[in-house]
Amino acid sequence: MQSVHIVSAYDEELKYLSKRIAAMGGHAERMVEQAISALVNSDPELARKVVEDDTVLDQGQREVDDKAILLIGKRQPMATDLREVIGVIRISADLERVGDLAKNVAKRVASVGDAVQPVSLYRGIEALSDLALTQLKEVLDVYASRSVATIGFVRDRDDQIDAMYTSLFRELLTYMMEDPRNITPCTHLLFCAKNIERIGDHATNIAETIYFIVTGDQMPVERPKGDKTDRIVMPIS
Amino acid sequence: MQSVHIVSAYDEELKYLSKRIAAMGGHAERMVEQAISALVNSDPELARKVVEDDTVLDQGQREVDDKAILLIGKRQPMATDLREVIGVIRISADLERVGDLAKNVAKRVASVGDAVQPVSLYRGIEALSDLALTQLKEVLDVYASRSVATIGFVRDRDDQIDAMYTSLFRELLTYMMEDPRNITPCTHLLFCAKNIERIGDHATNIAETIYFIVTGDQMPVERPKGDKTDRIVMPIS
């Protein structure tokens, strides 16, 4: 009977950690949504809220880390069970970074200002963050269901995010070259776009961790990491 | 006798992982040095070498991760021993990211081009990367010695890095506003500077992990994460 008791206590503790990850994921999604909304609508109040909200993820990561390490020491899990706990540590670190990136977007809201930017720019930022958020949501759904069979979708969406970020990068440089008054706000928007692209990368990291938890293997096919904007050079008109 | 044998095998395996971390750290330092050298001297050959060298850190992280997880499963370490292995997983992830950031600087070398930039700009980039590299080296020294008593230095240097990055950010925006031909190269230099500032953050993460390994606690005093450039708005002359 005792071993049954131990196993079930272990399962309870693991379930608790998974729930904390799900809660952190939901919180991170909300922060990203609100940061973009604050940016697009020049809403400093909402931006401030996002900045304050980030402490929840910092504390969440700390708690999950501490509990996960205690759990390994106490229950000495093996194989899949051990991978589950290591996975929790990794995923909470990625979600904490997503929070940092959302916070960084929010902190730039005042510097972008309500200078009338072309509508297409904000549409581009929104479209990019929609893609990154969908990536994050679907990856967290896979974490809940553990159905890694279809996880290949993350690679395709990663490519879409990179392509959209690249076109936004070009567009922002163009506006900067048209009028020096655009340089400051567009530079901040460039960093916002970069942050959103990084959020997509963290979602992909989480997918890789889930694949590792379930299969014990690395996810096949190395994805070409990072963006492709490093080679963009704009012609001078 | 058998338990002595097991303990010693465990120590051997842990020592191997520590050595791998030291080697990854040395490799990451070299990549950063060479990426900056390639950037400052417009050396596309050296830049290409840095980009290729990054696979060493990717493979290093994979190997360290796999071995660390196997080690936990096989030896079931407790307390400090467990923290050592968890620490190895965390530090290798930070070093892998440092490699990514150095690679990203290297990939921008061609886009910055040999357009004659003001000498002060390159001096600024070099000074920033000197600080970040010193941070990384000293933190890796602490990892080797485990002498965390003096680890407070990372906070001070973090502040210096942030201050230098902020002044570089302003300088780059100024050049962009002076002449639209500067916009493309200076945007890439902005991202290079941001990457170097992030390398300093990863060094600080590593310091926090070492502190956790040795003491079992979080490093005191929350450092204010991230840079302060999000509030920079340049006046239009």
Side-chain angles (χ1 to χ4, degrees):
Chain A
M1 280 304 287
Q2 217 212 334
S3 83
V4 174
H5 179 74
I6 288 174
V7 168
S8 131
Y10 175 78
D11 286 345
E12 281 303 308
E13 288 174 69
L14 197 57
K15 214 188 214 165
Y16 174 79
L17 287 177
S18 295
K19 264 193 202 157
R20 293 293 292 125
I21 291 290
M24 283 179 74
H27 192 87
E29 282 173 22
R30 230 169 5 256
M31 279 180 69
V32 177
E33 275 162 8
Q34 292 180 342
I36 302 302
S37 170
L39 181 69
V40 170
N41 304 311
S42 292
D43 183 341
E45 278 303 311
L46 187 58
R48 205 167 306 133
K49 182 184 172 307
V50 173
V51 172
E52 285 165 8
D53 269 0
D54 187 45
T55 54
V56 175
L57 290 183
D58 292 342
Q59 287 163 359
Q61 191 203 358
R62 215 161 278 193
E63 188 212 337
V64 163
D65 258 29
D66 288 346
K67 291 222 160 88
I69 293 170
L70 272 178
L71 185 59
I72 296 175
K74 202 168 57 173
R75 308 285 181 200
Q76 310 199 321
M78 312 267 288
T80 319
D81 287 337
L82 177 57
R83 290 202 304 271
E84 284 279 353
V85 190
I86 298 283
V88 156
I89 293 175
R90 280 192 194 152
I91 296 173
S92 80
D94 277 305
L95 292 174
E96 192 268 341
R97 264 313 282 166
V98 170
D100 281 347
L101 293 162
K103 180 170 79 170
N104 190 272
V105 169
K107 284 169 82 181
R108 292 183 192 274
V109 166
S111 304
V112 173
D114 43 12
V116 188
Q117 301 296 330
V119 176
S120 72
L121 258 188
Y122 284 117
R123 286 232 179 97
I125 295 267
E126 280 183 304
L128 184 66
S129 69
D130 282 350
L131 273 181
L133 266 172
T134 308
Q135 182 87 314
L136 185 59
K137 278 177 190 167
E138 296 196 0
V139 162
L140 290 168
D141 285 348
V142 176
Y143 181 67
S145 69
R146 297 292 195 283
S147 53
V148 293
T150 58
I151 211 164
F153 71 81
V154 297
R155 307 265 190 233
D156 298 335
R157 198 171 294 112
D158 234 24
D159 291 343
Q160 290 172 40
I161 291 173
D162 284 346
M164 200 175 279
Y165 170 64
T166 301
S167 96
L168 208 48
F169 191 98
R170 282 184 182 281
E171 202 178 343
L172 282 161
L173 283 189
T174 307
Y175 288 121
M176 287 158 89
M177 291 166 86
E178 276 173 11
D179 186 338
R181 284 170 299 184
N182 290 338
I183 289 176
T184 295
C186 285
T187 297
H188 288 293
L189 285 176
L190 264 177
F191 278 99
C192 289
K194 178 71 195 170
N195 288 338
I196 299 165
E197 186 260 347
R198 286 291 303 151
I199 289 169
D201 283 343
H202 284 286
T204 305
N205 288 349
I206 295 174
E208 289 173 343
T209 299
I210 300 168
Y211 190 89
F212 164 77
I213 293 174
V214 175
T215 68
D217 285 324
Q218 307 284 348
M219 212 161 132
V221 193
E222 175 72 352
R223 87 193 143 103
K225 256 189 195 167
D227 62 68
K228 276 116 203 144
T229 54
D230 41 56
R231 258 158 281 166
I232 292 179
V233 175
M234 302 296 282
I236 309 287
S237 53
Chain B
M1 282 306 289
Q2 215 211 334
S3 82
V4 174
H5 180 73
I6 287 174
V7 168
S8 132
Y10 174 78
D11 287 344
E12 281 304 309
E13 287 173 70
L14 198 56
K15 215 190 216 166
Y16 175 79
L17 288 177
S18 294
K19 265 193 203 157
R20 294 292 293 124
I21 291 290
M24 284 179 73
H27 191 87
E29 282 173 23
R30 232 171 1 259
M31 279 180 69
V32 176
E33 275 162 7
Q34 292 179 342
I36 302 301
S37 171
L39 181 68
V40 170
N41 304 312
S42 293
D43 184 341
E45 278 303 311
L46 187 58
R48 204 168 307 132
K49 182 185 174 305
V50 173
V51 172
E52 285 166 8
D53 270 359
D54 187 46
T55 54
V56 174
L57 290 184
D58 291 344
Q59 288 163 358
Q61 192 203 357
R62 215 161 277 193
E63 188 213 336
V64 164
D65 259 30
D66 288 348
K67 291 222 161 89
I69 293 169
L70 271 178
L71 185 59
I72 297 174
K74 202 168 53 171
R75 308 284 180 199
Q76 312 199 320
M78 312 267 289
T80 319
D81 287 339
L82 177 55
R83 291 202 304 272
E84 283 279 352
V85 190
I86 298 283
V88 157
I89 294 176
R90 281 192 194 152
I91 296 173
S92 81
D94 277 305
L95 291 174
E96 192 269 340
R97 263 314 281 164
V98 169
D100 281 347
L101 293 162
K103 181 171 79 171
N104 189 271
V105 169
K107 285 168 80 180
R108 292 181 192 274
V109 167
S111 304
V112 173
D114 43 12
V116 188
Q117 300 296 328
V119 176
S120 72
L121 257 188
Y122 283 116
R123 288 233 179 96
I125 295 265
E126 280 182 304
L128 184 67
S129 70
D130 282 349
L131 272 181
L133 266 173
T134 308
Q135 182 88 314
L136 185 59
K137 277 177 192 170
E138 297 198 358
V139 162
L140 290 168
D141 285 346
V142 177
Y143 180 68
S145 69
R146 297 293 196 280
S147 54
V148 293
T150 58
I151 211 164
F153 71 81
V154 297
R155 307 268 189 231
D156 298 336
R157 197 170 295 111
D158 232 25
D159 290 344
Q160 291 172 40
I161 292 173
D162 284 346
M164 199 175 278
Y165 170 64
T166 301
S167 95
L168 207 49
F169 191 97
R170 282 184 182 281
E171 200 178 344
L172 283 161
L173 283 189
T174 307
Y175 288 122
M176 289 157 89
M177 292 167 83
E178 276 173 12
D179 186 340
R181 283 170 299 183
N182 291 337
I183 289 175
T184 294
C186 285
T187 297
H188 289 292
L189 285 177
L190 264 178
F191 278 98
C192 290
K194 177 72 196 169
N195 288 340
I196 299 166
E197 186 261 346
R198 286 292 302 152
I199 288 169
D201 283 344
H202 285 285
T204 305
N205 288 349
I206 295 174
E208 289 173 344
T209 298
I210 300 168
Y211 190 88
F212 164 77
I213 292 174
V214 175
T215 68
D217 285 322
Q218 307 285 345
M219 211 161 132
V221 193
E222 174 72 352
R223 85 195 145 103
K225 257 190 197 168
D227 61 68
K228 277 113 202 147
T229 55
D230 41 56
R231 259 158 279 166
I232 291 179
V233 174
M234 301 297 281
I236 310 287
S237 54

